[in-house]
Amino acid sequence: MNAHLEILDAGPQCTIQDMGRPGFRRFGVSEGGAMDQVGLACGAALLGNDRRAAAIEMAATGLTVRAGADVRIALTGSPMDARISGRHIAWHASHELPAGAVLTIGAATNGVYGYLHVGGGVDSEPTLGSRSTHLRAGIGGLDGRALAAGDLVPVGEDGGGGSGLQLVQQPDDELPIRVVWSPQADLFSPETRSRIESGTFVMTGHRDRMGARVDPGSPFELAPDATRVLSTPVVLGDVQVPGDGMPVVLLADRQPTGGYPRIATVISADIARFVQIRPGTAFSMRVVSTADAVEALMVHRSRLRSLADRLRPLIRTPTASELLSENLISGAIKWDDDQP
Amino acid sequence: MVDARIEPVGDTGIIVVLGDELSIETNQRVHALDQALHDMQIDGVLEIVPALASLMVAFDPEVVDHTNLIEQVAGTLSAEPEPSGGRRWRIPAHYGGASGPDLAEVADRMGVSESTAVDEHADTNHLVMMLGFAPGLSYLGLLPERWNLPRLDTIKPMVPAGSISVAIRQSVFCATPIPTGWWTIARSPFLTFRPHAPVPFLLRPGDVLTFEPITHRELESMTQLGDGFVVRPEPIE
């Protein structure tokens, strides 16, 4: 039997995820995949995995696993309290997890979605070309469901490589979430549209892999013709305004088509940052042109492609003077677009 | 030249809106455009998603830019639509009873007998206008005018895979259990989503369905066959 991780305990939304399954929207299946694709890519870089490797996504709460064999692991995305046999270990880093050792991952301390990666990737059975768990469709992962105590998560063959590496991160800043107007934006009044451009939003706890409700302070005025909109294809990041006027940003496991009007769309480069906004956190949006959104996506992709160049040896217990001499900031990864 | 709006949607898609009202003619133009765009094999196009009266093209802007793609799609619109290559399916369905708990009220609202409602629904040429909402779930249309029923006031938490529900002159034929706010009138043993089969999705937009009423006993025996229960389509002449 190949290596596996035995789940001893799991938060309610721990799922196996990879880059998703594009190509099936015409059959009613959205592409799904890791909510924070940057976190997914960081794990592949830390372990030298194929970028299509699957990992375990943990929403706000982690899990406890026991290694069935010696495995390499990496922890990325939202930082969570992590310990191997009681000893604290660093996030955004790779580690050895010896056979029989217990890894305990607690609540997120910043952000929402954390990722546990294994050398060789999670090796569950792919469905429609992907291992991603699509809870709504009931496919992928282990039997299309969230992980639970007693599950054995298969680990793929590890091509080898080191551990004890880190990807130094810059703390989240508070730049606006960039959006482009939706083709349906004209269904909304200029006053409502101006609330996208200048309003403040608060992330709510009404969120899952399908979408995240954001609180604009008071409900958006509904488009006069809102109920007459025919279902059209929905894209990742669409800001949909349903009957109660409270916007919902549609995410990885959304329905592929929808009949509620959409006012704007979060740009591709900012999706990973958006999904990591914690409930109760205020943020603003900034409307950019399609050309600017594409430019931002190219910058975003080039940063993802150069992740391997940004690996550093893990410093287990750095002192303040060591931190200063390492000049962490210049080695940091900056996900947000350059600001003037 | 066909009247259409082509606009960017998000930063990696364009949407082609062929109409703001639902009609069979507009929907068939969606399928013709879908076929034409597939045949063009445009570099950088990742996915084409046809809907009721619109179609979305997802693409990689690193390979093809918005302006270029919009020009290529606009060029396609001027061509005469080709036949969409749809197929005809005759699909067994058990109407009423536990399979279709809302059949009696649907018939009552239309002022016809249950058997008249069943015959009219079963004999209609149902065009697969769109797949959406859930894996393999098909939106079928259009039923005669008297089937212009409102949606239910409440959402039924879950109906079984294979259920056929109606509202606003349309039917939805689901391939997985779904919550629905439509009137459920029948259930078919034929499941059109088989995640691990070589062909996971059996229906395609542009296909045409009729239903063949079966008894509850037949439903049960066909259902027991699982994926072994097969319906084969015929090409549309």
Side-chain angles (χ1 to χ4, degrees):
Chain A
M1 183 174 177
N2 284 336
H4 65 262
L5 296 179
E6 179 186 1
I7 307 285
L8 302 179
D9 187 28
Q13 292 278 319
C14 294
T15 56
I16 294 168
Q17 299 295 340
D18 59 15
M19 295 177 76
R21 52 174 68 75
F24 297 99
R25 282 188 267 186
R26 62 190 289 109
F27 297 114
V29 184
S30 51
E31 65 274 27
M35 294 286 278
D36 176 357
Q37 291 283 336
V38 174
L40 188 74
C42 287
L46 278 162
L47 293 171
N49 279 347
D50 189 294
R51 67 196 186 100
R52 291 164 298 185
I56 297 175
E57 176 178 281
M58 303 167 285
T61 310
L63 40 58
T64 302
V65 299
R66 180 162 48 211
D70 293 350
V71 291
R72 297 185 304 136
I73 61 163
L75 301 167
T76 66
S78 159
M80 296 170 158
D81 182 70
R83 291 162 195 276
I84 295 177
S85 303
R87 185 175 57 83
H88 181 80
I89 57 168
W91 207 261
H92 306 301
S94 59
H95 306 274
E96 300 286 343
L97 185 64
V102 173
L103 167 67
T104 304
I105 302 176
T109 54
N110 187 15
V112 177
Y113 292 99
Y115 294 86
L116 166 60
H117 311 257
V118 289
V122 170
D123 193 28
S124 54
E125 191 62 34
T127 304
L128 305 179
S130 163
R131 296 184 170 86
S132 285
T133 312
H134 198 309
L135 295 174
R136 186 181 170 78
I139 58 174
L142 299 184
D143 304 325
R145 58 173 173 76
L147 297 175
D151 283 342
L152 297 181
V153 176
V155 174
E157 192 172 332
D158 191 352
S163 62
L165 296 172
Q166 64 176 328
L167 269 166
V168 183
Q169 307 281 302
Q170 176 170 291
D172 283 346
D173 51 37
E174 294 179 4
L175 293 175
I177 295 295
R178 290 167 295 180
V179 300
V180 291
W181 289 122
S182 160
Q184 297 173 340
D186 290 344
L187 289 172
F188 296 86
S189 68
E191 291 72 30
T192 303
R193 291 201 301 275
S194 74
R195 294 181 64 186
I196 291 285
E197 294 177 290
S198 56
T200 298
F201 299 84
V202 177
M203 179 64 73
T204 73
H206 294 282
R207 58 181 300 167
D208 58 18
R209 291 185 43 83
M210 288 182 66
R213 177 166 291 214
V214 298
D215 184 353
S218 61
F220 275 9
E221 181 196 340
L222 282 184
D225 292 332
T227 56
R228 298 185 60 245
V229 175
L230 283 180
S231 276
T232 55
V234 167
V235 299
L236 180 66
D238 265 355
V239 183
Q240 171 178 279
V241 184
D244 62 4
M246 297 291 273
V248 176
V249 179
L250 299 170
L251 299 169
D253 286 358
R254 68 194 181 281
Q255 294 165 17
T257 52
Y260 290 118
R262 274 89 72 181
I263 190 167
T265 305
V266 175
I267 71 170
S268 301
D270 283 359
I271 288 287
R273 196 158 55 88
F274 174 80
V275 300
Q276 294 289 15
I277 298 175
R278 287 166 79 88
T281 303
F283 65 96
S284 59
M285 299 190 197
R286 181 158 64 88
V287 179
V288 299
S289 68
T290 303
D292 286 349
V294 169
E295 177 59 29
L297 177 59
M298 297 308 135
V299 171
H300 179 78
R301 284 183 179 177
S302 79
R303 285 174 181 154
L304 285 180
R305 284 166 186 156
S306 61
L307 282 175
D309 301 338
R310 297 169 181 253
L311 297 172
R312 302 282 184 275
L314 181 61
I315 304 159
R316 293 188 188 278
T317 50
T319 64
S321 61
E322 281 171 338
L323 283 170
L324 288 170
S325 67
E326 282 291 314
N327 191 10
L328 293 179
I329 298 306
S330 69
I333 299 161
K334 190 168 181 303
W335 292 115
D336 306 300
D337 200 9
D338 299 322
Q339 292 297 296
Chain B
M1 180 70 192
V2 175
D3 183 32
R5 299 194 303 275
I6 309 179
E7 295 174 276
V9 54
D11 47 27
T12 56
I14 60 168
I15 189 163
V16 186
V17 179
L18 293 171
D20 295 316
E21 304 288 339
L22 177 58
S23 74
I24 292 296
E25 187 199 10
T26 303
N27 186 247
Q28 284 172 328
R29 281 168 50 208
V30 171
H31 305 317
L33 177 60
D34 179 37
Q35 189 64 52
L37 292 175
H38 271 283
D39 292 346
M40 284 174 73
Q41 301 273 319
I42 301 170
D43 273 352
V45 167
L46 304 173
E47 202 164 351
I48 301 170
V49 189
L52 295 172
S54 61
L55 174 150
M56 201 263 292
V57 181
F59 66 99
D60 182 351
E62 206 168 331
V63 180
V64 59
D65 67 39
H66 280 78
T67 311
N68 183 317
L69 182 61
I70 287 173
E71 277 171 12
Q72 292 195 59
V73 172
T76 311
L77 290 172
S78 58
E80 279 298 307
E82 297 282 322
S84 70
R87 301 156 301 167
R88 173 176 290 282
W89 301 77
R90 298 178 208 281
I91 294 176
H94 174 236
Y95 285 84
S99 303
D102 301 323
L103 175 64
E105 186 165 351
V106 164
D108 195 49
R109 280 176 172 255
M110 297 194 300
V112 301
S113 67
E114 288 187 28
S115 67
T116 300
V118 169
D119 288 347
E120 192 163 84
H121 188 272
D123 292 343
T124 295
N125 283 316
H126 299 268
L127 176 65
V128 177
M129 298 187 296
M130 173 175 89
L131 274 66
F133 185 75
L137 179 143
S138 47
Y139 287 77
L140 313 175
L142 285 172
L143 287 158
E145 182 59 39
R146 65 181 170 199
W147 291 78
N148 196 11
L149 303 162
R151 297 173 179 85
L152 296 170
D153 291 335
T154 55
I155 304 286
K156 283 178 283 193
M158 213 51 96
V159 296
S163 292
I164 298 158
S165 308
V166 296
I168 52 173
R169 294 184 65 196
Q170 298 176 42
S171 308
V172 289
F173 177 25
C174 64
T176 58
I178 56 157
T180 181
W182 292 26
W183 308 85
T184 303
I185 62 168
R187 182 152 71 90
S188 172
F190 182 52
L191 300 186
T192 61
F193 173 47
R194 302 175 177 203
H196 302 290
V199 181
F201 299 97
L202 295 175
L203 297 182
R204 297 197 294 244
D207 285 355
V208 174
L209 279 55
T210 52
F211 292 102
E212 299 200 335
I214 56 172
T215 64
H216 185 253
R217 186 182 297 269
E218 288 170 320
L219 173 71
E220 286 192 324
S221 63
M222 290 171 177
T223 300
Q224 277 174 4
L225 296 175
D227 280 5
F229 179 68
V230 175
V231 176
R232 297 195 191 285
E234 305 152 16
I236 294 175
E237 317 257 308

